[in-house]
Amino acid sequence: MSNMRSPDWDPKSAAVLRDQRAAFDEMRERCPVAYSDLLGWSLFRHEDIVRVLNDPDTFSSVVSRNLSVPNGMDPPEHGQYRRIIERYFAPQAMQAFEPQCRSIAADLVRSLRGRVALELMGDFAHPFAVRVQCAFLGWPASMHEPLRLWAQKNHAATLAQDRPAMADIAHEFSGYVLGLLQPRRDAGIQGHQDVIGSLISQQVKGRPLNDEEIISILRNWTVGEISTIAAAVGVVAQYLAEHTELQQQLRTQPTLLPDAIEEILRMYGPLLANRRVTTRTVEIGGRTINAGERISLNWVAANRDGLVFTDPQSFRLDRDASANLLYGAGIHVCPGAPLARMELRVAVRALLDGTTSIDPIAQRPPTSAVHPASGFATLPLHLTFPSQPSTHQR
């Protein structure tokens, strides 16, 4: 039935891709529940999206034929896996990992000295995301380049919706994980000194996690980590380059960084959308959506909804962030949010501590990433470094 509908919009039209945020804002006001052949139903209003997030019985997260642990699961199965995963992002784990994260960020910034004009996404944001992810998982430095290339291929295949390529890329990632799993299994319990080794020892439903489940957990962490963290670093860096007064304020008042980062990312979301599928016929915004139909939750539009955020396109450090859907809400709120927040704070702090100024390059404007990505594809920036290397502090 849904394939007989006339589309309300085209998410990949030239008009939308020219300025995705403006297009999403316009859809939220004009057609907040919109059908497209590409996405099915898209929801743009904060209220409608929160309704979906809080009703997993009606709006299922099982949207793919492939196993996706735990974000592609519904209760009660979701909770069984979620309890395993949350311990990796507990406060004590984040505190233990932060020094290593700071060292990675500071080393990368130091490596940029003398470059002056650089492309921040390729020179800092993506390398930071890849290196931090390898460090978090306990993967060797030899995985940096393969993982960087894998993330690029995964993004390109997703952008093109090339199903055979996506399957090959998933198989490639499985090979990486399996190559790391077996030595840890052979080492026995004494070898469980990193995330993969620890996952081997976890149990669900009275049995150990199997290879497919471990691969799915790590793939979800890695895709989310590398693409979203890199996008977020770029978004924040560009905003600070364009707003030098805030940039200098954060240099002298780094305790404001967490709130500033959350507010910038509320306005310029690094993640476009997540998916659900209906389990029964529902009505949202006056539109009838049948059972078994696809729904896309547009985070960018929801976080710029004027019914929830006063003057939503303005930066406000004192804004109440409780309604910010940057990390979702409900039972599927991002379990890795503590890690993401720490990494973003550390990365931005390293950029600010290691430079005296971050500025746009008028002759080289950034190029925007396009659906299904957000943020920037390229981000040329001019960095001014102090005459003497700075000491990176917490």
Side-chain angles (χ1 to χ4, degrees), residues 141-161:
S142 59
M143 281 296 299
H144 290 171
E145 186 63 9
L147 198 58
R148 185 186 70 82
L149 294 174
W150 178 86
Q152 283 185 348
K153 289 184 288 186
N154 184 65
H155 172 71
T158 304
L159 182 64
Q161 285 298 289

Side-chain angles (χ1 to χ4, degrees), residues 99-176:
Q100 193 174 1
C101 188
R102 290 204 311 269
S103 177
I104 291 168
D107 287 347
L108 276 169
V109 171
R110 279 194 291 270
S111 75
L112 301 177
R113 288 181 66 89
R115 298 284 301 278
V116 184
L118 54 90
E119 197 285 290
L120 192 94
M121 300 308 296
D123 292 334
F124 180 80
H126 285 293
F128 172 76
V130 167
R131 293 184 194 185
V132 166
Q133 179 66 359
C134 284
F136 178 68
L137 296 179
W139 290 13
S142 59
M143 281 296 299
H144 290 171
E145 186 63 9
L147 198 58
R148 185 186 70 82
L149 294 174
W150 178 86
Q152 283 185 348
K153 289 184 288 186
N154 184 65
H155 172 71
T158 304
L159 182 64
Q161 285 298 289
D162 185 338
R163 300 293 177 184
M166 291 166 74
D168 289 344
I169 291 161
H171 182 72
E172 179 183 342
F173 187 85
S174 298
Y176 292 145

Side-chain angles (χ1 to χ4, degrees), residues 254-271:
T255 56
L256 299 177
L257 268 174
D259 289 340
I261 291 169
E262 299 264 321
E263 174 68 350
I264 293 168
L265 296 179
R266 179 197 63 77
M267 295 190 297
Y268 303 101
L271 180 65

Side-chain angles (χ1 to χ4, degrees), residues 25 44 62 64 66 70 89-90 107 114 147 160 165 168 178 182 189 197 205 219 246 288 312 338 345 375:
D25 287 342
F44 297 95
V62 185
S64 173
N66 301 316
F89 305 102
D107 287 347
L147 198 58
D168 289 344
L178 291 172
Q182 197 55 50
I189 192 68
K205 305 174 186 176
R219 183 169 56 238
L246 175 63
T288 298
R345 172 174 53 80

Side-chain angles (χ1 to χ4, degrees), residues 52-380:
V52 169
L53 298 176
N54 289 328
D55 186 1
D57 292 338
T58 302
F59 303 98
S60 171
S61 293
V62 185
V63 297
S64 173
R65 291 174 302 217
N66 301 316
L67 180 68
S68 181
V69 181
N71 48 310
M73 294 175 164
D74 293 329
E77 189 177 40
H78 166 265
Q80 295 169 336
Y81 288 90
R82 175 89 182 206
R83 282 189 289 274
I84 293 173
I85 286 165
E86 285 179 337
R87 70 190 64 179
Y88 294 97
F89 305 102
Q92 60 270 29
M94 298 302 92
Q95 187 176 7
F97 181 53
E98 184 169 336
Q100 193 174 1
C101 188
R102 290 204 311 269
S103 177
I104 291 168
D107 287 347
L108 276 169
V109 171
R110 279 194 291 270
S111 75
L112 301 177
R113 288 181 66 89
R115 298 284 301 278
V116 184
L118 54 90
E119 197 285 290
L120 192 94
M121 300 308 296
D123 292 334
F124 180 80
H126 285 293
F128 172 76
V130 167
R131 293 184 194 185
V132 166
Q133 179 66 359
C134 284
F136 178 68
L137 296 179
W139 290 13
S142 59
M143 281 296 299
H144 290 171
E145 186 63 9
L147 198 58
R148 185 186 70 82
L149 294 174
W150 178 86
Q152 283 185 348
K153 289 184 288 186
N154 184 65
H155 172 71
T158 304
L159 182 64
Q161 285 298 289
D162 185 338
R163 300 293 177 184
M166 291 166 74
D168 289 344
I169 291 161
H171 182 72
E172 179 183 342
F173 187 85
S174 298
Y176 292 145
V177 177
L178 291 172
L180 295 164
L181 274 173
Q182 197 55 50
R184 286 157 175 78
R185 283 206 173 99
D186 293 343
I189 192 68
Q190 297 303 315
H192 297 172
Q193 301 300 316
D194 55 28
V195 169
I196 294 182
S198 174
L199 285 171
I200 293 171
S201 68
Q202 301 299 331
Q203 293 213 344
V204 66
K205 305 174 186 176
R207 59 162 176 82
L209 291 173
N210 61 39
D211 287 356
E212 184 184 14
E213 290 163 338
I214 293 174
I215 289 167
S216 176
I217 290 168
L218 294 174
R219 183 169 56 238
N220 286 334
W221 285 355
T222 301
V223 171
E225 173 75 15
I226 293 176
S227 61
T228 311
I229 291 296
V233 168
V235 167
V236 174
Q238 168 65 4
Y239 190 85
L240 295 182
E242 296 280 0
H243 297 82
T244 53
E245 186 174 325
L246 175 63
Q247 181 187 145
Q248 296 308 325
Q249 181 184 14
L250 295 177
R251 290 181 196 279
T252 58
Q253 298 177 270
T255 56
L256 299 177
L257 268 174
D259 289 340
I261 291 169
E262 299 264 321
E263 174 68 350
I264 293 168
L265 296 179
R266 179 197 63 77
M267 295 190 297
Y268 303 101
L271 180 65
L272 287 188
N274 280 122
R275 299 181 293 163
R276 297 292 191 272
V277 62
T278 51
T279 62
R280 61 181 179 85
T281 300
V282 293
E283 183 177 300
I284 305 178
R287 308 295 294 269
T288 298
I289 302 176
N290 297 316
E293 294 206 71
R294 296 173 297 147
I295 292 183
S296 177
L297 311 179
N298 192 294
W299 304 119
V300 175
N303 268 338
R304 294 162 62 90
D305 189 336
L307 296 177
V308 177
F309 303 97
T310 303
D311 197 10
Q313 297 190 44
S314 295
F315 175 89
R316 284 178 44 182
L317 260 178
D318 62 346
R319 193 185 296 278
D320 178 6
S322 61
N324 191 336
L325 297 177
L326 179 61
Y327 296 102
I331 64 168
H332 285 282
V333 66
C334 178
L339 177 63
R341 287 186 168 110
M342 183 271 286
E343 290 174 354
L344 292 173
R345 172 174 53 80
V346 164
V348 177
R349 180 73 189 270
L351 282 169
L352 294 175
D353 281 359
T355 63
T356 56
S357 181
I358 302 170
D359 301 288
I361 302 174
Q363 303 81 7
R364 295 173 59 200
T367 57
S368 295
V370 297
H371 183 89
S374 186
F376 298 100
T378 63
L379 179 55

Side-chain angles (χ1 to χ4, degrees), residues 375-390:
F376 298 100
T378 63
L379 179 55
L381 290 176
H382 183 280
L383 301 189
T384 304
F385 294 92
S387 55
Q388 296 294 325
S390 64

